Amino acid sequence: MSDTWPSELKVSKDRRLLTVSFNDGMVVSLPAEMLRVLSPSAEVQGHGPGQKVTVPGKRNVAIKALVPTGNYAVRIGFDDGHDTGIFTWIYLRELGETGAQKFAEYESELATKGLSRDPR
């Protein structure tokens, strides 16, 4: 079990930002769009190597619900209906530390595939 866990999860009033305060004092702010397109769900990550999906059109997605999952994670529901991603405390912290780089890679994938962050 990890020594890292959140002391608070807070969704912004506009539902587009999740702020996670960790027990060691680290605080990360994670945009809903980033959480949605980097969801750890099989729908996004695939069921095996090379099956990852580049999800377009999620610029305006919002967080609809946070559902605790045991003592190790939270399931995040989004207003586009996606709700199968179980975000462990470790993954949320990883997104806080490396999310900007991961999101830049996502934007590059969108460009390569001729896709957009904007909804159709």
Side-chain angles (χ1 to χ4, degrees):
M1 180 155 185
S2 171
D3 291 334
T4 300
W5 64 88
S7 54
E8 181 181 43
L9 285 91
K10 184 177 180 182
V11 179
S12 64
K13 288 183 182 185
D14 67 1
R15 318 282 304 160
R16 299 199 192 286
L17 190 69
L18 174 64
T19 302
V20 183
S21 300
F22 288 95
N23 62 307
D24 63 359
M26 182 176 186
V27 178
V28 299
S29 295
L30 307 168
E33 180 187 11
M34 181 177 73
L35 292 166
R36 174 61 179 90
V37 302
L38 299 177
S39 172
S41 70
E43 179 186 326
V44 174
Q45 298 302 321
H47 293 280
Q51 294 185 351
K52 186 176 180 196
V53 175
T54 305
V55 182
K58 300 302 176 185
R59 183 186 300 270
N60 300 321
V61 74
I63 296 167
K64 185 176 177 182
L66 298 177
V67 180
T69 304
N71 292 322
Y72 68 96
V74 64
R75 184 168 48 91
I76 302 177
F78 297 91
D79 67 354
D80 67 350
H82 179 74
D83 66 356
T84 58
I86 297 175
F87 293 77
T88 64
W89 309 143
I90 293 169
Y91 187 56
L92 288 173
R93 186 172 182 118
E94 178 184 327
L95 288 177
E97 294 171 347
T98 64
Q101 177 184 343
K102 289 177 187 293
F103 195 78
E105 291 166 3
Y106 159 76
E107 288 181 301
S108 179
E109 289 172 17
L110 285 175
T112 299
K113 295 177 179 181
L115 301 172
S116 171
R117 291 175 54 202
D118 294 314
R120 290 182 177 216

